């Protein structure tokens, strides 16, 4: 089976007897500082729109990085709803179901504006060129790295260095292993088409989570003493673990809240501006339990788990580290981009 897990693509996610394989053939066009390379667009303020869905962990990464770096004033953001049909993510949260900047009801319209016969899944996040209405890239990993390295002229004062040059090799290696075993590993569990493939994915997932617990036992962050892209990449999976992956994807050896080190690490990040305030638990549950009807045919969305414990003390500051290095926390999100209070973890 080949699919992206959070794209809009006709057909079942689970194929009996097969192992889940993610389609990683993304649009590799980049937006760079000069735009001088082949198949590159130039960095320009107010030219591009980042289209996301809060439910999607890959899109959530881009939302967090954009906010930490202060790119809200130069890259606008369009938000799709938590569910999609077999054709496309849709702008059903907007008045009349149309994105107010791009003027389209479906994200597929931006893909087709550049590739009329685009054959693959319509994925978020996607950067769209507003003047032409055409998608530029949906390569979520490179997109967030480019936010750090190519958009520096537009970073806010006090923006953290999420991808420090001296640590990039280690960040890339840690993030690569986390992707194969954890970020994508939960999907390989959930969309496994055989007992054998599920068992293998399950064992690989929890072996890596145990490794991460050991690594983070005496260090606050994954690489170095500040938040990096590696932490952002891992956080969006951990934030969904108890709400979705533990039950819906059968990743049920332990809840995140039963893994003390990872649970404290996740709470530390969640309570850091830019992380928890971009996490919409209602949309997360709606997406997985409604869209994946082959796993959850009733499409009943669970009410739990209780979210208040995300705000309990984590004591990770005792390990040292400086979340933003020499930088500063981002300001509160603008009103239009705030997660509704009834979709967020309640503070005591």
């Amino acid at each position: 089976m080949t699919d992206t897990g959070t794209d809009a693509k006709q057909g079942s996610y689970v194929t009996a007897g097969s192992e889940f394989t993610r389609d990683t053939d993304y649009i590799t066009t980049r937006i760079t500082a000069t735009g001088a390379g082949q198949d590159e667009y130039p960095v320009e303020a107010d030219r591009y729109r980042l289209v996301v869905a809060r439910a999607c962990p890959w899109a959530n990464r881009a939302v967090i990085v954009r906010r930490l770096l202060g790119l809200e004033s130069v890259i606008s953001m369009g938000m799709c709803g938590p569910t999609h049909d077999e054709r496309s993510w849709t702008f059903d949260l907007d008045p009349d179901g149309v994105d107010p900047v791009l003027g389209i009801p479906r994200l597929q319209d931006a893909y087709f504006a550049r590739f009329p016969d685009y054959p693959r899944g319509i994925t978020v996040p996607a950067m769209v060129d507003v003047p032409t209405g055409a998608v530029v890239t949906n390569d979520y990993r490179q997109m967030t790295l480019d936010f750090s390295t190519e958009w520096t002229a537009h970073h806010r004062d006090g923006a953290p260095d999420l991808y420090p040059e001296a640590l990039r090799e280690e960040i890339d290696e840690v993030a690569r292993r986390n992707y194969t075993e954890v970020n994508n590993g939960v999907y390989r569990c959930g969309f496994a088409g055989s007992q054998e493939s599920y068992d293998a994915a399950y064992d690989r997932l929890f072996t890596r989570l145990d490794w991460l617990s050991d690594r983070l036992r005496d260090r606050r962050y994954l690489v170095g003493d500040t938040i990096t892209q590696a932490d952002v990449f891992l956080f969006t999976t951990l934030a969904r673990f108890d709400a979705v992956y533990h039950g819906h994807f059968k990743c049920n050896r332990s809840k995140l809240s039963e893994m003390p080190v990872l649970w404290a690490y996740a709470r530390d990040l969640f309570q850091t501006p830019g992380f928890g305030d971009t996490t919409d638990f209602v949309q997360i549950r709606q997406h997985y339990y409604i869209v994946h009807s082959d796993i959850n045919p009733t499409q009943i969305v669970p009410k739990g788990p209780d979210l208040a414990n995300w705000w309990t003390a984590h004591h990770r500051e005792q390990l040292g580290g400086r979340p933003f290095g020499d930088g500063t926390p981002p300001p509160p999100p603008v009103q239009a981009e705030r997660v509704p209070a009834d979709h967020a973890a309640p503070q005591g």
Side-chain angles (χ1 to χ4, degrees):
M1 174 191 170
T2 300
D3 211 317
T4 63
T6 52
D7 73 2
K9 193 172 184 180
Q10 190 169 10
S12 172
Y13 287 104
V14 178
T15 301
S18 70
E19 179 181 349
F20 171 76
T21 303
R22 183 174 297 278
D23 181 353
T24 57
D25 190 5
Y26 299 107
I27 302 169
T28 56
T29 304
R30 292 177 61 194
I31 300 172
T32 64
T34 63
Q38 185 177 4
D39 202 25
E40 290 183 2
Y41 284 59
V43 165
E44 291 183 18
D46 304 319
R47 175 171 175 175
Y48 305 101
R49 188 158 176 82
L50 172 65
V51 178
V52 301
R54 290 198 187 275
C56 171
W58 321 103
N60 196 178
R61 296 174 169 194
V63 177
I64 292 170
V65 172
R66 170 181 173 268
R67 176 150 147 61
L68 294 178
L69 299 178
L71 293 172
E72 299 102 315
S73 63
V74 294
I75 303 174
S76 68
M77 187 166 71
M79 286 186 277
C80 299
T83 63
H84 56 68
D85 59 21
E86 70 279 1
R87 293 167 58 194
S88 176
W89 290 92
T90 57
F91 295 99
D92 49 291
L93 301 178
D94 291 309
D96 300 320
V98 174
D99 181 88
V101 172
L102 300 174
I104 56 177
R106 293 177 173 273
L107 181 55
Q108 72 174 11
D109 296 331
Y111 278 71
F112 293 163
R114 184 171 177 200
F115 305 106
D117 299 317
Y118 189 73
R120 317 197 78 85
I122 306 301
T123 62
V124 291
M127 288 285 278
V128 178
D129 181 41
V130 175
T132 63
V135 67
V136 176
T137 182
N138 64 345
D139 188 343
Y140 62 87
R141 181 183 181 276
Q142 189 63 53
M143 186 188 306
T144 58
L145 297 182
D146 285 344
F147 284 173
S148 284
T149 60
E150 302 295 329
W151 287 81
T152 54
H154 298 284
H155 287 181
R156 65 178 175 86
D157 291 339
D161 187 354
L162 299 176
Y163 197 46
E165 191 165 359
L167 297 177
R168 287 180 188 176
E169 184 175 350
E170 186 177 3
I171 290 170
D172 290 345
E173 175 59 20
V174 170
R176 182 187 66 81
R177 288 294 303 276
N178 286 347
Y179 168 80
T180 58
E181 309 302 282
V182 181
N183 304 130
N184 194 45
V186 294
Y187 285 85
R188 287 190 291 106
C189 289
F191 297 139
S194 70
Q195 189 69 50
E196 182 180 15
S197 61
Y198 165 75
D199 289 348
Y202 178 101
D203 291 342
R204 289 174 62 181
L205 167 65
F206 282 101
T207 295
R208 184 63 177 182
L209 291 176
D210 289 341
W211 182 90
L212 286 166
S213 289
D214 289 340
R215 182 179 181 90
L216 290 164
R217 197 173 305 279
D218 58 1
R219 57 194 301 168
R220 191 170 179 184
Y221 303 111
L222 281 171
V223 181
D225 65 352
T226 65
I227 291 169
T228 68
Q229 295 271 358
D231 299 295
V232 176
F233 293 173
L234 180 59
F235 170 78
T236 59
T237 296
L238 297 183
R240 288 156 176 76
F241 202 90
D242 287 4
V244 176
Y245 303 142
H246 178 269
H248 185 58
F249 278 178
K250 308 180 186 71
C251 302
N252 62 352
R253 189 201 74 178
S254 312
K255 295 178 181 177
L256 175 66
S257 56
E258 296 168 345
M259 294 181 271
V261 173
L262 281 180
W263 176 223
Y265 165 79
R267 298 201 314 281
D268 187 5
L269 290 176
F270 183 87
Q271 295 171 29
T272 300
F275 288 83
D277 55 24
T278 64
T279 304
D280 187 318
F281 287 103
V282 170
Q283 289 197 24
I284 288 168
R285 292 195 299 264
Q286 288 173 339
H287 171 74
Y288 286 91
Y289 284 98
I290 293 174
V291 171
H292 301 156
S293 57
D294 47 350
I295 298 177
N296 184 40
T298 65
Q299 298 182 299
I300 293 173
V301 179
K303 295 180 68 174
D306 181 13
L307 302 173
N309 54 4
W310 277 100
W311 288 103
T312 57
H314 54 75
H315 305 298
R316 296 279 295 177
E317 67 279 356
Q318 297 174 7
L319 297 174
R322 301 172 299 150
F324 301 101
D326 295 329
T328 58
V334 299
Q335 183 64 43
E337 296 183 3
R338 292 181 182 176
V339 174
D342 57 349
H343 288 207
Q347 298 190 49

